[in-house]
Amino acid sequence: EQGSVTDVDVVVIGGGQAGLAAGYYLRRAGHRFVILDDQPIAGGAWPHTWPSLRLFSPAEFAALPGWPMPPWPDGFPPASHVVDYFTAYEERYDLPIERPVRVAGVDRGGQHLAVTTNRGIWRARRVISATGTWQQPFWPLYPGAREFTGRQLHTVDYRRASDFAGARVVIVGGGNSAAQLVAEISSVAATTWVTTRPPRFLADDVDGRVLFQVASERAAAIAAGKPDPGGPASLGDIVMVPEVHEARDRGVLQALPMFDRLTRDGVAWGDLEQHADVIVWATGFRPALAHLRPLRLREHDGTIAVSGTKALKEPRLHLLGYGDWTGPGSATILGVGRTAKAAVAELDLD
Ligand code: FAD
């Protein structure tokens, strides 16, 4: 296998939700394609999230194209239900997924793009990159980071609150992950929540569905050539899932401004120091794009310029599922279907 070369119309890199949605439309269009995924099982990032994580909307609002997620009877579905759904979805549509296959790089060949992996080379007329963000945790650097003698971890390493029982824990970050970690950890430990800007909470009586609705309205406006209306709610806004709601009732959801440095024993704002045993960085993710480096597409700000999902400087390449810059709501299970459909329609293979 090591030296093998396979020709296809399309290589999809990544077998998470974005890769599966692309696979659905590629299958329907009758293209010869393969999905290369470096994980041993289905699910993309979902098997790696903390086990208690639940979606922020009911199952019917987490549908991939063609076949909705089976209902979850007890509130919002847990991450394991998402993994089961994706596993069944791959089988149902008989998607050609090769795993584990790790893509090392994408290069320009003459008529094709060469996708180099640990299991041979695939030559493709088009490449859809759908590698997500989970492998690129963002960890901001603050003064004193090396002096701090306690434990530091990122959301990607978090498993369960009981690991921090009795500790003093500082949680950094203003999004849904941070709010959910504050809610969980504060039930067994003393927590301090810090954010760089005041957190934005959605109203109590709405859930993640309102975010999907805003994303749909933005996508419709953009498709109609109208200006992007933005929206009152964004995917970063905090959904008042029951655990977060309950944490607010306990009074633990008071966010302090960001500290300005770490100390040996904790964190500090000017002269004011606070002891901490643990610092949890729930500071988000960046797109995992290292495999595209050989194409030299990165702009000065670290992004890749796209029109829709198509890379402006390499029109044989599409970027799918990374966030609003590759389509409104495209980093969600429901939202990526719409973007995947448009991307496959624009492959221009005939
Ligand atoms: P991923 O799921 O990360 O899949 C990418 C795949 O590509 C992975 O299998 C990865 O291992 C593989 N890969 C990466 N690099 C390579 C390479 N070089 N070669 C081969 N394979 C590679 N969305 C919702 O819709 N509802 C929610 O309630 C919700 N809650 C969330 C809560 C949290 C805490 C987080 C972090 C996200 C949440 N999301 C939610 C957002 C979204 O569903 C995820 O970010 C999603 O995992 C993105 O899917 P993806 O397919 O783009 O990437």
Side-chain angles (χ1 to χ4, degrees):
E1 284 194 346
Q2 204 78 52
S4 70
V5 179
T6 313
D7 286 295
V8 288
D9 289 335
V10 186
V11 167
V12 179
I13 307 173
Q17 60 207 34
L20 301 193
Y24 174 87
Y25 288 108
L26 288 166
R27 180 62 94 214
R28 262 202 354 185
H31 296 311
R32 279 184 318 141
F33 71 103
V34 66
I35 301 173
L36 307 178
D37 186 50
D38 65 1
Q39 298 300 302
I41 58 166
W46 291 100
H48 300 282
T49 64
W50 61 97
S52 63
L53 176 74
R54 286 171 181 262
L55 292 183
F56 51 51
S57 62
E60 59 267 36
F61 286 84
L64 287 172
W67 182 52
M69 179 183 283
W72 180 259
D74 173 28
F76 300 161
S80 61
H81 189 60
V82 182
V83 176
D84 291 345
Y85 168 52
F86 288 4
T87 307
Y89 187 93
E90 290 181 0
E91 283 169 19
R92 182 184 178 98
Y93 294 108
D94 192 22
L95 296 177
I97 306 186
E98 301 276 342
R99 62 162 67 94
V101 177
R102 172 87 189 156
V103 173
V106 179
D107 269 295
R108 293 184 182 87
Q111 296 297 311
H112 58 262
L113 292 170
V115 180
T116 304
T117 79
N118 60 335
R119 282 188 24 207
I121 294 176
W122 273 264
R123 289 192 305 205
R125 295 170 65 200
R126 305 286 182 269
V127 167
I128 297 177
S129 184
T131 48
T133 57
W134 191 259
Q135 293 184 10
Q136 201 64 49
F138 174 64
W139 189 312
L141 195 60
Y142 277 82
R146 281 184 219 296
E147 275 128 68
F148 179 64
T149 51
R151 179 174 174 208
Q152 298 185 64
L153 67 154
H154 189 273
T155 320
V156 289
D157 303 310
Y158 175 77
R159 302 311 292 165
R160 62 194 68 77
S162 58
D163 293 346
F164 308 106
R168 286 210 67 92
V169 184
V170 172
I171 296 147
V172 186
N176 279 291
S177 303
Q180 291 185 20
L181 296 195
V182 172
E184 276 194 24
I185 297 172
S186 63
S187 63
V188 298
T191 52
T192 303
W193 186 21
V194 299
T195 60
T196 49
R197 60 171 176 79
R200 301 208 316 185
F201 297 99
L202 287 174
D204 287 2
D205 57 344
V206 300
D207 59 37
R209 275 175 278 194
V210 71
L211 303 178
F212 298 132
Q213 202 182 327
V214 170
S216 302
E217 285 160 10
R218 293 184 58 199
I222 294 166
K226 296 188 191 141
D228 181 348
S234 88
L235 282 174
D237 290 2
I238 294 165
V239 183
M240 298 307 290
V241 294
E243 296 76 13
V244 174
H245 204 157
E246 188 261 336
R248 191 186 58 190
D249 292 346
R250 281 190 283 123
V252 294
L253 270 197
Q254 306 290 342
L256 296 178
M258 188 61 199
F259 51 75
D260 45 51
R261 65 186 195 282
L262 286 73
T263 63
R264 223 182 79 84
D265 301 316
V267 297
W269 301 256
D271 293 339
L272 181 69
E273 283 197 33
Q274 183 178 314
H275 177 73
D277 303 306
V278 182
I279 301 174
V280 183
W281 296 89
T283 38
F285 299 86
R286 296 289 181 264
L289 300 174
H291 58 292
L292 300 178
R293 251 180 230 147
L295 296 172
R296 300 179 168 279
L297 300 172
R298 269 165 68 105
E299 304 293 332
H300 291 300
D301 64 359
T303 65
I304 291 180
V306 288
S307 162
T309 57
K310 194 182 283 188
L312 284 179
K313 292 181 183 157
E314 177 47 85
R316 294 173 293 184
L317 172 72
H318 286 256
L319 294 139
L320 187 65
Y322 294 101
D324 281 359
W325 64 283
T326 54
S330 70
T332 64
I333 302 170
L334 184 68
V336 76
R338 173 178 49 224
T339 325
K341 185 177 186 183
V344 171
E346 282 177 22
L347 286 176
D348 222 0
L349 274 166
D350 305 315

